[in-house]
Structure formats: structure tokens, C-alpha cells
Amino acid sequence: MSSKLFVSAQEVAEKAGVSRSAVSRTFTPGASVSAETRRRVLEAAEALGYHVNHLARGLMRNESGIVCLIVSDVATPYRSALLRELTIQLQNAGKVAMFINTDRSDGSVDRALQQAIRYRADASIILSGLPDKSITQLCLRNGQRLVLINRDDDQPGPLKINLDDFESGGRIATAFVRAGCRVLAFANSEAGTPSLMRRERGFVAAAAKLGLDVTVERHGSTGYEAGKVLAQRMLTRAERPDAVFCATDLLACGLMDAARHQFGLSVPRQLCVAGFDDIEQASWSSFDLTTFAQPVMTIATRAVEWLGSGRDDATSEVEHSVRLTAELIWRGSIRAG
Amino acid sequence: MSSKLFVSAQEVAEKAGVSRSAVSRTFTPGASVSAETRRRVLEAAEALGYHVNHLARGLMRNESGIVCLIVSDVATPYRSALLRELTIQLQNAGKVAMFINTDRSDGSVDRALQQAIRYRADASIILSGLPDKSITQLCLRNGQRLVLINRDDDQPGPLKINLDDFESGGRIATAFVRAGCRVLAFANSEAGTPSLMRRERGFVAAAAKLGLDVTVERHGSTGYEAGKVLAQRMLTRAERPDAVFCATDLLACGLMDAARHQFGLSVPRQLCVAGFDDIEQASWSSFDLTTFAQPVMTIATRAVEWLGSGRDDATSEVEHSVRLTAELIWRGSIRAG
DNA sequence: ATTGCGATTGCACACACGTGCAAGCGGATG
DNA sequence: CATCCGCTTGCACGTGTGTGCAATCGCAAT
């Protein structure tokens, strides 16, 4: 029946009695169109339900307006919060977010970037995994901007946004000691993600400076279940820790739950706990977790600002790197000094 | 310097010593190309880093491969889980997800759909809000498929996926009564979302059949904080409820936390609680929440399958509606009968 | 009346791709 | 050898848009 396709600028032009160029100019800010023609075009467009075809526009302008978000573990609280902020700010900047999930194999980050190239994305923001150097080069050579968030990589070209993980580890160590803790432990995943390893090393180093050893335990992913397992391992040791810094809030939640419900320990009286990310659950009264807040809003702002910044090749050779500090959110999982 | 744009099929053709058509056919499944030309084309493409321009391809085929996901409150556990499943399945079906966040005003759902039209999305999946009928018609007229998930709407054309919310309310009411509860309550948000209202009405109706009244309290959004407020209101009543069905797991978590930590109540001994969604936190031992699981995987499967199904106009007039049942996940927040 | 000038408009081309059509080519059959 | 047939391949056109260039138009000044 009405297998009519999308309405094109040509049809609008005919209905308005003007040339197709006039239609195009009407929808191009800053183009030269008289008020009268503009009015007639807009009227016809409204009547016909015309919308500029961004595929064709992107083809012409060599600028699709698409920004790819490459993510795994979207269902994780921290990831989804960051995703939320990024999409909102991208939209405010007139871009549109294309979402690529890399929950499968690890090489899929490369395939994701290829997808980004196929759709001529103006930029790609990588939240998970690390692309192969050859793919990165391919993207840059094609004029595609790249942003790496909390990914460690020394390739020049992409914008790299990182936190002061190492220093955070140090700050929490002194907080533990000030609270009277003597047996410190660090709970990590066994993924070996660089940012998590920096937290670990910062914590261990600071503790050493304070004359304390740290028992490090690593297991599984960065989720709740892994936290429970880590609690099993740590809290059955001969010398039971009285303070645990967890690489992630989810780990901390699992560890706290196990400590309380399986080992009958009281937090923070018998066990102090700290996490990282400041996910929403950290503020729930069941956890009331002292943790470091990822500056999600700032991360998104910086990334989007940089995407909008000039395309001048002059700066394309310098090292783009941003270091943000994670704010310590003081709650009740560490007893007062 | 190397302000070279993306490499086009033309350049590949020249390097391979064939016509541009040959290149195009090489990347079009089912086209007629000899093995030899195909090899040379692929070789040249690899060397130059060529990738088919999906914008141009979409322009030709009238099929962009883009599917729009229109969502608000992405950072919510249930939403992000559904989002995860949808993106994975869309990718497996050869589509790519475009993400539109509608966290702002309510009319923004319409603007989101306009964005979908501009990018000539093959389909849009709406997880939040409800578009205006005129926009819906515009989408359908342009051949764009529409999927509404847990949105109530009687417009023909879109695929509507819903749950048996009303019956779920009934099932949990009998479970409460069987557990010996006598004073029932329902905790809802004041948003008035149809699916939430169905849960409420189903619960109230079933309770009435069992000869029991239900005090209904509504407040704020569907989040944790609202649950705490609702607990304040309910647990200070003269006749304190001994069973609360919450429209949402997040509400239930907030309510449980307040009941325990502010009112010193024991769950489930003094207060039985049930939720809806089966978010990950519901299984955490701090909550151990009995709840209904949204069949996230099935929802995504059905949606993506329908998108891939034939474009025949024969079925375009029939009512597309899917009703799924939410499975009751029995945990420890309701005492055993 | 002629000239000059700025604003507007239409033509035509470019963007990167898919595909129908006809030409070419090789081989097999009569 | 002529004919036919199937497989390839190049040409040319179409998809919807932005934009440089030249033409046109209106208006004021000479």
C-alpha cells in the first residue's frame, strides 16, 4: 500500500515551488536564503514530514555526527553511570552516540573500531579493552578522534583520561592507619587492569612507608561474587585483616556482605572497608561505604569538549593526557580516628 | 600533513587494476565476482585499509542497519541489564545500536524519534516514555519499525512487549497470605507508569478476594530513596503492615534498609517484602529479596527477531503484541509458609 | 538610462556506494 | 564454423545531500 519511502528534499522543493538548493540551504545554518523562501520551505517540510537525511549529509560533509561508545559490562553500576553522562553530554554537543558492546572475546574491540570506521564515526570513546596499535593508527589516519578512559596506553594521538589511582591507594592507607588498623589487605580482581593495579601498588607502597605489610588477594572479576570469595580467603587467615581496601565498590559490597553474614563481623568495629567508584549502592545504608568517587561528570565533559575542539593538525602531534583526582567520600565503613 | 580522508572504493579499484563495480561486488554477498578479481580486490583493500562506507550503503539500500534505543534512567540496574541484552542481540543480528538518552523533559521522546528518522534508522526500540501518536505515525509511514517495551499503548503498528503485571500482583498476594501476613501494603512511585499501576491493581484485587485490605502508598520515583520515604510513611502507621509488595526492586531495597536500620525491624520475621525486576542487588545477601524476574533475554530476543522478520505489508495491519510472564524468584524476604 | 552592488537562487557537480543492462569472453554443442 | 549459454565486467545511473559558480533580481547612485 503506502510503501512510500522517506520524503526527500526534492519533493519539498516541488511542493514549495523552489529549487532543491533552497531547501538544502534552509536547513543549513548560516546559508543565504530569503525570509520568504525559508517560510515556504519550512511550511512544505512540515506538511510532508520532511527530515534531513543525516546519512547523506554526513556523506557530503565528511562528518557524520556519530560518536562510537565502545563498552563492555554495561550492566555494571559504574559503567552505566558513565555511559549515562557521556550520552547526555554528547547529545548536548549535537552528536549522537553509537553503542558497541564488546562483552564477547577480547579482539572484539578491534572489530568494534572497524564498525566505527564503517559508519564514519567522527570519534570513538573506549571504556573497555584496548585496541591493537594497528587499528588505532588506522582510525587516526582516517581523521577519527579517539578517547581512552581509564585505559593505559602510551600511543600518541588519542586523548587519555586517567585518575590518580596510585595516590588514592596512598590516601586510604593513611586513613586506615589513623583509624587504628594494623593488618591491612587489598582485594583485587585477577584481570590485571592497569588502573586497578595502580590502586594496589599505591596502597602497598604507602603502607610500606608506614611500616605495614599488605596481604594482596586477587580473584575473578570485579563483581560482587568475587568480593565474597575474596572475603572467604582473607577472613579465614591466621592473622585476620582489620582493614581491606577493595579495588572496586562491587568487590567491597560482596566482601562486606560475607564479613557480616557469614563471619559475623561488625563493620567498621572489627573490620574497616573502603572501595572505589562511588556507585549508587555505596551510599545505601546497608553498606554506607567509604570510597573514592570517579568524577564521572568531569570525565564526560573533558571528553566531549576535546571532541569539539578544533581540528587543527598543529596539536595532533602533542601528547593529550588528562589526570583527574578521585574524591574521597567519607562514610561509615571506616571507624573514626 | 596526512589530512587524507577515508579511502574509497575508487582507490581500491585503481590499486587492484579493476573497476569500482568489482570492488563493490566483492563486498556484496551473493554478487558475481570471479575468484581472481576477488582476491586482488581484497588484497588491495587490506593494504589500503579500506572499509565500506555504511552511510553511502545505507543511502543506496534504504536500509541503514541502525536501530535506535530510546531510553531514560540508563544507570538503573534493570534498564542497563535490558540495554546490555538488546545491544548484544542486535549486534548478533548484524544491526548496530544508536543510543538516545531522554533523561530531560518528556517531549524529548518525540525529539529522539525525529533523530531516529534523520539517521534513517531501520527501527526504534522505546524503553521509556511514550511518543506522540503523530510521531509514531510518521515513523511507521516512513517504513520504520517500532517496538514498545513495557509501554502501554493501543496504537496499531508497533510491536508491544508486556509482562503479566496484574497476575504477578495476584501471585505475590497469595504468597504473603500463605506466609501468615495479615496487614498488606503496596509501595509505588507516583509516576503512574501503566505497568506499575497494573502490579498495584493486581495486588489489591487479589488481596480483596482473600478478604484483606491493602494500604497503598505512592511517592517520588522508582528508586532507592523513594523506598526509604515510603518506609517512613508505612511503618509509622497505627496498624503497621507485616508485608509490603514494592513495585520495583530498588524501592524494596530502600524500604528494607529503612525498616532494618531505622525501625529495627527484622525481615522477614516481622516484615515480609517482595519486589519486581530481579536486579542483581536483589540476590545480594544483604537483601536476599523475593522478586519477579523480568525475562530480559526473552524480551530482547523477541524484539530483535521481530525486527528481522519479513517486511511484508500483509501483516502490517494486525495487532503485534507479546505477553511474557515474570518468573517468581523465591528468596528469603518472605518467611516460609 | 546606465552602472554598480549586494542579496538570492538555480545549475551542476561531488560524495561513496549498489545494481540493471549490455558487452565481452570462454567453452560446449550442433 | 556458427550458435548458444553462462559467467564476468564495465558503464552509467540512482540514492539525498552540500556548495562553488554564475546568473538573476532589486535597488540605489551616478
Side-chain angles (χ1 to χ4, degrees), chain B residues 241-321:
Chain B
D242 57 3
V244 183
F245 181 29
C246 302
T248 283
D249 277 0
L250 284 178
L251 284 175
C253 287
L255 186 129
M256 282 179 72
D257 271 356
R260 283 171 172 156
H261 305 133
Q262 292 178 31
F263 293 88
L265 295 179
S266 159
V267 177
R269 206 163 44 78
Q270 299 171 277
L271 180 68
C272 291
V273 179
F276 203 106
D277 284 346
D278 193 31
I279 65 179
E280 201 204 311
Q281 287 75 24
S283 71
W284 290 8
S285 52
S286 273
F287 302 101
D288 197 26
L289 179 66
T290 295
T291 185
F292 289 91
Q294 293 237 19
V296 171
M297 182 123 32
T298 310
I299 292 175
T301 308
R302 289 300 193 86
V304 175
E305 269 179 1
W306 187 74
L307 294 185
S309 70
R311 294 228 173 282
D312 43 11
D313 291 30
T315 61
S316 76
E317 305 248 342
V318 316
E319 190 81 12
H320 299 287
S321 186

Side-chain angles (χ1 to χ4, degrees), chain A:
Chain A
M1 185 61 66
S2 69
S3 73
K4 185 71 182 49
L5 275 323
F6 289 84
V7 23
S8 75
Q10 180 64 47
E11 310 176 39
V12 177
E14 286 166 9
K15 182 173 184 92
V18 298
S19 83
R20 196 185 55 72
S21 309
V23 178
S24 184
R25 284 190 241 266
T26 300
F27 292 99
T28 303
S32 165
V33 204
S34 76
E36 170 61 11
T37 9
R38 175 184 211 80
R39 192 190 59 73
R40 294 174 60 184
V41 167
L42 287 178
E43 190 177 319
E46 175 68 24
L48 266 54
Y50 170 74
H51 290 265
V52 178
N53 186 335
H54 274 47
L55 300 183
R57 165 178 287 189
L59 198 55
M60 266 298 303
R61 290 198 183 157
N62 266 327
E63 185 176 343
S64 60
I66 297 175
V67 173
C68 266
L69 302 181
I70 299 178
V71 196
S72 70
D73 298 322
V74 206
T76 264
Y78 156 64
R79 283 280 165 69
S80 60
L82 182 51
L83 189 66
R84 186 188 105 97
E85 204 56 39
L86 278 170
T87 54
I88 289 181
Q89 299 218 19
L90 280 174
Q91 283 173 214
N92 287 346
K95 303 285 188 182
V96 58
M98 177 162 279
F99 189 100
I100 301 190
N101 195 318
T102 61
D103 272 344
R104 299 277 177 244
S105 69
D106 207 41
S108 61
V109 179
D110 294 346
R111 274 186 300 155
L113 275 175
Q114 292 188 11
Q115 190 78 299
I117 292 182
R118 290 198 199 94
Y119 278 96
R120 297 304 189 255
D122 298 337
S124 296
I125 303 181
I126 300 177
L127 310 185
S128 320
L130 203 52
D132 191 75
K133 189 162 300 191
S134 63
I135 304 280
T136 304
Q137 288 310 313
L138 183 59
C139 287
L140 295 175
R141 199 164 1 116
N142 288 344
Q144 184 169 126
R145 320 270 284 215
L146 244 47
V147 179
L148 303 176
I149 298 184
N150 277 338
R151 313 283 94 207
D152 258 69
D153 195 23
D154 53 353
Q155 308 176 35
L159 170 66
K160 293 173 278 290
I161 301 182
N162 279 285
L163 301 185
D164 56 346
D165 300 288
F166 191 89
E167 290 76 3
S168 302
R171 277 192 282 164
I172 206 66
T174 70
F176 278 151
V177 171
R178 202 168 294 161
C181 302
R182 310 295 305 167
V183 189
L184 307 188
F186 187 86
N188 205 347
S189 90
E190 59 189 354
T193 315
S195 56
L196 303 187
M197 294 307 288
R198 279 199 302 263
R199 290 167 204 172
E200 177 183 315
R201 284 196 301 272
F203 186 67
V204 171
K209 230 172 209 169
L210 296 167
L212 292 178
D213 259 7
V214 173
T215 67
V216 173
E217 202 82 56
R218 304 194 194 100
H219 174 77
S221 68
T222 60
Y224 177 89
E225 288 302 330
K228 287 198 125 175
V229 173
L230 286 165
Q232 301 277 8
R233 290 206 195 148
M234 289 178 160
L235 303 180
T236 51
R237 292 176 71 96
E239 199 183 27
R240 177 163 53 75
D242 57 3
V244 183
F245 181 30
C246 301
T248 282
D249 277 359
L250 284 178
L251 285 175
C253 287
L255 185 129
M256 282 180 72
D257 270 356
R260 282 172 172 157
H261 305 134
Q262 291 178 30
F263 293 90
L265 296 178
S266 158
V267 177
R269 204 162 48 77
Q270 298 171 280
L271 181 69
C272 290
V273 180
F276 203 106
D277 285 345
D278 192 31
I279 63 179
E280 201 204 309
Q281 288 75 26
S283 71
W284 290 6
S285 53
S286 273
F287 302 103
D288 196 29
L289 179 66
T290 295
T291 185
F292 290 91
Q294 293 237 20
V296 171
M297 182 124 29
T298 310
I299 293 175
T301 307
R302 290 300 194 87
V304 175
E305 267 177 5
W306 186 74
L307 294 185
S309 70
R311 295 230 172 281
D312 43 11
D313 290 29
T315 60
S316 77
E317 305 246 343
V318 315
E319 190 82 11
H320 298 287
S321 188
V322 172
R323 249 176 85 91
L324 302 175
T325 90
E327 185 188 357
L328 179 53
I329 307 291
W330 197 265
R331 293 204 186 90
S333 64
I334 299 183
R335 55 180 175 267

